[in-house]
Amino acid sequence: MSELKNISSLDSLPLGEMSDRTEWVIDKNLIPILNQVLDPEIPVLTILDMGVVRSAIIKDDEVIVKITPTYSGCPAMDVIGEDIIIAFKNEGYNAKVELVLSPAWTTDWITEKGRRSLEGYGIAPPLDAIADKEVLLGGKKLVKCTNCGSTNTKLVSQFGSTACKALFKCSDCQEPFDYFKCL
Amino acid sequence: MKNNNLYKYILSIADNTLILGQRLGELCGHGPSLETDIACTNISLDMLGQARNYYQYAAKVKGGNTTEDDIAFLRKEHEYLNVLLVEQPNTDFGYIMARQFLFDVYHLLFLQELQKSKDQTLSAISNKAIKEVSYHYRFSSDWIKRLGDGTKESHQRTQNAVDDLWTYTDELFHQTETDKAMINDGIGVDTLKFKSEYYERANKVLEEATLEIPESRYFQKGGKQGMHTEHLGHLLSDLQYIQRAYPNMKW
Ligand SMILES: [Zn+2]
């Protein structure tokens, strides 16, 4: 990991830019390349679907990509940084990846296409924050089973196979499935 | 060092998450059930991730060749500045949840304030962490209620845990010289501002859990000055083993 140190270090990040949204530009020409990079843990989602790319620009022959981590300890972030550099290298670009912590990533940044891909992959996409609370705390039946579509589902555990998921079970078809928690 | 107070302040925050993260990580493969095992290690992962963000910043503040790994793994016991609560050992699940709950209530209130810090990096890290910690709090407070209001056995064990760990709660609000200097600079959190809210929130959940609120007025402190209970040394020997056996490993 040593040469990728800059990915997960704050060193390269000018502090003043932390919440400056005017800097959030994704160069259109770079989108096809960014779309080649997938979330290593949910390989049906591109990093753009996931909403982790804050900006991607070309500056002095170098591509600078800023990404937001999903969870503080998410081990996928190092891999994503590495994959971005490789994807750009294959297209003849030198890329640098920087980590932006604030504003914090939210599941609202997952695109509509991303939500459909999640569902197709067997992970129920996040509801809105209020519904999420009702599901995880109040035991309300709002999460749709990814197998049969029933909302007769129940929470098994607030924590699932990765940091971003909760474990559910369908009371109709009996299948267990993951739910992507609101963050 | 010019920024010595800031450096020590960052460590005091980071060490809490590192040490509790390590404690929870010890449960990997040893949790009482698959779901609780996965939950505890997920919470551990969040906390270690937060710790890493803080240590990277601390390394930058210290400057020179210091790395996040040096800070996390190569200090001596008395150089760790975590509170005593988080280093208490894993005994039974009631104890683990009581420790988590008593810390989570504090952690949420603390991060809420740290978001307002003049220090942009600390503010950014807490802005991220608070979302994760609200899930931790849901988990631990739910379990306190289930265990307290559960069987006779689970009630008694959780009550014992709360009685025991209560001793360490006052330290959460103890302010060192470093804390005071950082509060003055608008960087640090004035924990005394939410001390009564902490106990109100904790008491409310304990009452719901049919547990008694401890009456003990005897409190223990020292962790924030590097004076630890006998448990930390054992934890560190585990935590530091790889880094000492194979020096210069990267996180
Ligand atoms: Zn179903």
Side-chain angles (χ1 to χ4, degrees):
Chain A
M1 286 287 153
S2 60
E3 63 167 341
L4 290 166
K5 210 70 194 168
N6 62 326
I7 293 169
S8 43
S9 122
L10 297 162
D11 287 354
S12 46
L13 191 69
L15 294 180
E17 280 182 24
M18 276 207 163
S19 49
D20 187 356
R21 289 166 193 245
T22 57
E23 295 260 321
W24 291 10
V25 181
I26 297 179
D27 187 325
K28 271 192 184 135
N29 300 313
L30 303 177
I31 290 178
I33 306 172
L34 289 167
N35 263 327
Q36 295 169 19
V37 183
L38 306 173
D39 182 311
E41 280 171 343
I42 311 169
V44 291
L45 280 189
T46 73
I47 53 172
L48 288 173
D49 291 336
M50 196 75 182
V52 297
V53 181
R54 296 278 67 74
S55 72
I57 50 164
I58 304 175
K59 202 175 171 184
D60 305 330
D61 285 340
E62 192 181 42
V63 174
I64 301 168
V65 183
K66 293 189 180 174
I67 57 174
T68 315
T70 49
Y71 279 75
S72 295
C74 183
M77 294 319 288
D78 284 334
V79 181
I80 287 173
E82 199 173 344
D83 289 348
I84 291 173
I85 291 170
I86 293 167
F88 278 101
K89 200 168 189 184
N90 290 341
E91 303 285 338
Y93 290 102
N94 258 331
K96 196 167 95 187
V97 179
E98 293 172 8
L99 193 79
V100 186
L101 288 179
S102 176
W105 182 81
T106 150
T107 35
D108 295 344
W109 291 350
I110 300 177
T111 62
E112 208 33 60
K113 177 171 154 273
R115 298 170 62 86
R116 283 195 302 273
S117 310
L118 274 176
E119 198 158 13
Y121 189 61
I123 302 169
L127 301 162
D128 65 79
I130 296 165
D132 183 87
K133 229 179 192 163
E134 287 173 338
V135 160
L136 295 179
L137 292 180
K140 279 213 180 154
K141 298 179 182 197
L142 300 170
V143 176
K144 217 167 80 182
C145 168
T146 53
N147 184 47
C148 75
S150 164
T151 49
N152 187 16
T153 57
K154 64 173 190 220
L155 173 75
V156 177
S157 175
Q158 284 169 2
F159 294 87
S161 52
T162 63
C164 53
K165 289 176 270 176
L167 188 62
F168 272 72
K169 191 181 170 194
C170 177
S171 304
D172 282 341
C173 74
Q174 306 299 325
E175 276 297 312
F177 63 94
D178 282 325
Y179 164 64
F180 207 112
K181 288 185 281 195
C182 276
L183 193 75
Chain B
M1 188 172 40
K2 197 176 88 228
N3 284 321
N4 195 35
N5 271 332
L6 177 60
Y7 177 71
K8 279 178 78 176
Y9 190 67
I10 301 167
L11 293 190
S12 72
I13 306 170
D15 290 347
N16 283 343
T17 55
L18 175 75
I19 301 302
L20 190 51
Q22 172 73 11
R23 273 288 180 238
L24 292 168
E26 289 171 8
L27 292 167
C28 188
H30 299 276
S33 69
L34 187 60
E35 288 78 13
T36 48
D37 186 305
I38 290 171
C40 288
T41 43
N42 262 305
I43 295 171
S44 167
L45 187 63
D46 284 342
M47 299 197 93
L48 295 177
Q50 293 161 12
R52 217 183 140 185
N53 286 336
Y54 292 123
Y55 289 135
Q56 284 171 355
Y57 183 39
K60 196 173 148 187
V61 169
K62 191 161 187 204
N65 296 325
T66 316
T67 68
E68 50 171 316
D69 298 278
D70 299 338
I71 302 174
F73 297 114
L74 293 178
R75 278 177 293 150
K76 296 187 180 72
E77 184 187 353
H78 69 269
E79 292 168 320
Y80 284 82
L81 304 176
N82 57 281
V83 292
L84 301 176
L85 175 67
V86 297
E87 69 197 39
Q88 298 311 304
N90 297 331
T91 54
D92 60 28
F93 189 62
Y95 199 86
I96 292 165
M97 282 303 101
R99 183 185 64 205
Q100 192 66 32
F101 169 69
L102 292 173
F103 185 72
D104 287 343
V105 179
Y106 166 81
H107 204 189
L108 262 183
L109 290 164
F110 178 82
L111 291 174
Q112 231 160 41
E113 290 300 313
L114 191 62
Q115 289 187 100
K116 302 175 201 155
S117 171
K118 271 190 195 162
D119 184 297
Q120 291 207 35
T121 306
L122 287 180
S123 165
I125 297 172
S126 53
N127 185 247
K128 176 91 214 132
I130 196 166
K131 295 171 133 201
E132 296 157 0
V133 172
S134 50
Y135 277 105
H136 305 170
Y137 173 75
R138 279 188 205 178
F139 181 77
S140 61
S141 58
D142 272 4
W143 269 106
I144 289 297
K145 291 177 207 164
R146 280 176 78 173
L147 294 168
D149 199 11
T151 64
K152 208 175 151 194
E153 177 78 14
S154 72
H155 176 90
Q156 193 51 53
R157 286 194 187 211
T158 312
Q159 184 69 59
N160 292 348
V162 170
D163 291 347
D164 191 15
L165 293 166
W166 200 256
T167 316
Y168 303 108
T169 53
D170 193 62
E171 191 193 8
L172 296 166
F173 306 96
H174 175 72
Q175 292 178 348
T176 61
E177 291 309 311
T178 299
D179 290 329
K180 286 175 191 159
M182 286 292 98
I183 294 166
N184 263 331
D185 290 353
I187 292 171
V189 170
D190 185 357
T191 49
L192 290 173
K193 272 205 321 211
F194 56 78
K195 184 174 178 177
S196 57
E197 197 179 344
Y198 172 86
Y199 283 106
E200 275 165 34
R201 286 193 189 189
N203 292 355
K204 191 166 167 277
V205 173
L206 294 179
E207 273 165 20
E208 260 188 80
T210 73
L211 292 164
E212 301 218 353
I213 295 152
E215 279 174 15
S216 160
R217 293 273 152 252
Y218 170 73
F219 293 108
Q220 221 176 332
K221 60 175 193 288
K224 294 178 91 169
Q225 280 99 346
M227 291 177 292
H228 293 279
T229 57
E230 69 272 27
H231 308 294
L232 185 68
H234 296 283
L235 180 148
L236 291 178
S237 64
D238 229 15
L239 175 78
Q240 299 190 341
Y241 175 78
I242 294 282
Q243 187 60 243
R244 295 205 183 270
Y246 305 95
N248 302 321
M249 301 263 292
K250 295 265 190 279
W251 198 315

